[in-house]
Amino acid sequence: QVQLVERGGGLVQAGGSLRLSCAASGRTFNKYMMGWFRQAPGKEREFVAGINWRGGATDYAESVKGRFTISTSNTQNTVYLQMNTLNSEDTAVYYCAASNSPYLGSLRGPYATWGQGTQVTVSS
């Protein structure tokens, strides 16, 4: 019963920045892989960024490389997504995800637990 709560979404102008957070709780939470996904209207949910809590390996979708940064706070059991130079293509509901299996080379899955999502809207 891992609980994930995303915060930080909102409305921002193109070129601006937002920082999303995902707080994990629950006795069954294991610090394996964490990821951020997003889903725009009419589109499939897509991988944005992932991180391995052990070792700090990261992975990013090509569309966000150089603009987004994923990080963790071990003491707070929180994952962050710093989003810079936002554009309209970044408009989506962003979801935090946690795995229940360790990192084996890919940070794009599988993920077992999902947060409720937080809306990010980028205006032109």
Side-chain angles (χ1 to χ4, degrees), residues 16-110:
S17 299
L18 284 174
R19 189 193 192 204
L20 307 182
S21 65
C22 171
S25 61
R27 294 195 302 168
T28 61
F29 177 63
N30 292 302
K31 294 182 179 179
Y32 293 140
M33 302 186 298
M34 298 292 294
W36 285 97
F37 292 73
R38 67 187 182 187
Q39 187 167 23
K43 293 188 176 181
E44 197 171 283
R45 186 175 298 186
E46 64 175 346
F47 172 81
V48 175
I51 189 166
N52 177 37
W53 233 303
R54 296 185 179 184
T58 59
D59 189 25
Y60 298 91
E62 285 294 324
S63 60
V64 307
K65 282 184 178 178
R67 300 189 298 119
F68 290 11
T69 302
I70 187 171
S71 61
T72 59
S73 171
N74 287 316
T75 58
Q76 297 294 318
N77 288 346
T78 299
V79 179
Y80 302 94
L81 185 68
Q82 178 66 47
M83 305 184 295
N84 298 326
T85 319
L86 288 161
N87 59 63
S88 60
E89 298 298 315
D90 299 316
T91 295
V93 177
Y94 283 71
Y95 298 90
C96 177
S99 75
N100 60 6
S101 57
Y103 171 64
L104 294 176
S106 175
L107 292 167
R108 306 196 176 205

